[in-house]
Amino acid sequence: MVKPASVPSVPPAVPDPTLLLTAAVSRLAATIGVRLLVIKGIAADQYGLRPAHLSSDVDVLVTHDDYGTLLAELEKRGWRRRAHDPDTDTFPVHSASMFHPEWAADIDVHFRYPGLEFDGEVFGPIWAQRTTMWCGNQPICIPGLVDAIMIGAVHAIRSRFSRRHRVELDFLVGRCSELDVTLLLERADELGALATARPFLERLKPFDAEYDWGEASAEWRLRTEFPEASQRRALLWKQASPRERLAKLRLALFPPTSALVKETTATTLGPVQLAGRYLRRWGRGVRALPKALAVLRASGRRRP
């Protein structure tokens, strides 16, 4: 059921390019028949779930079937996909970041959301509890309050090694301190976020020592226990077969161009630029080596 949001306006903290882009991508999705949810930024601001700050992108969630359709329509309109690291074991794919030279913000198109480990496509249950708000004269669909809280919680927990995201998690805990924790627990269980959102939920009330939180996925544990890519690569390398280890080592040392330009809008590099990027990458690898070796030693002492 679609429910109108309580305040049919957009908080002033969100910059105009993001507002316009939110309306534009929602209008495009409606035009081509794609169901689309705007998540995080504007939804979190609407519910007051994070400290006010300027957003640099618009995050949307669609079904896996609609993912390719929306990306293709955006590309027809001049949007281009930012490169993703080809090492998808270390950097699992859950979205595509689209940029346009005439827009000051990106569009992050998600077909799944890390931390919401629903058995199937999580879009369905979130869509069923959606609400509608207005961005100018364009209606946009956002998650319901509890779902927006779950998205905000797992987002902050996944990146809690960052001070900004620790602050966001503290803010969310304060915002939810008066809510019915039972409701949050039930919805977290429905979305497959009981284990992943545990650091957030445990701060809202004391729980019995025997409470069954379940087990988070290996991908989630890898993301949240090892903040640096070198640590994750080291652990995955140790778990791999001899042939896979060689491939992983080659990919880490001599990745394709997409891994070297993934945070830029470039698609190619000249010989001098390419050599410079490789040298900087190897330098970072040498500096990160002690932590990677520590992960290997620690993993050897753990029980399977």
Side-chain angles (χ1 to χ4, degrees), residues 58-115:
V58 173
D59 290 271
V60 301
L61 177 67
V62 296
T63 67
H64 194 276
D65 288 341
D66 286 337
Y67 176 70
T69 301
L70 181 59
L71 294 185
E73 290 295 328
L74 288 169
E75 288 173 342
K76 289 179 184 178
R77 290 158 175 78
W79 290 84
R80 295 292 177 263
R81 193 183 309 201
R82 291 188 186 274
H84 187 278
D85 198 300
D87 185 357
T88 54
D89 290 337
T90 304
F91 302 97
V93 180
H94 61 270
S95 66
S97 184
M98 308 293 288
F99 73 93
H100 194 292
E102 298 178 4
W103 284 89
D106 282 11
I107 304 173
D108 283 349
V109 183
H110 297 254
F111 61 88
R112 67 183 181 96
Y113 201 81

Side-chain angles (χ1 to χ4, degrees), residues 113-134:
Y113 201 81
L116 303 183
E117 301 185 332
F118 178 74
D119 186 15
E121 286 203 60
V122 77
F123 179 90
I126 298 178
W127 179 260
Q129 297 293 326
R130 71 194 182 279
T131 189
T132 302
M133 61 178 287
W134 290 83

Side-chain angles (χ1 to χ4, degrees), residues 166-186:
R166 290 197 300 272
V167 169
E168 287 185 353
L169 186 60
D170 291 342
F171 185 95
L172 189 62
V173 169
R175 169 69 172 82
C176 299
S177 60
E178 300 300 323
L179 295 183
D180 183 354
V181 180
T182 302
L183 181 64
L184 295 176
L185 288 169
E186 290 175 352

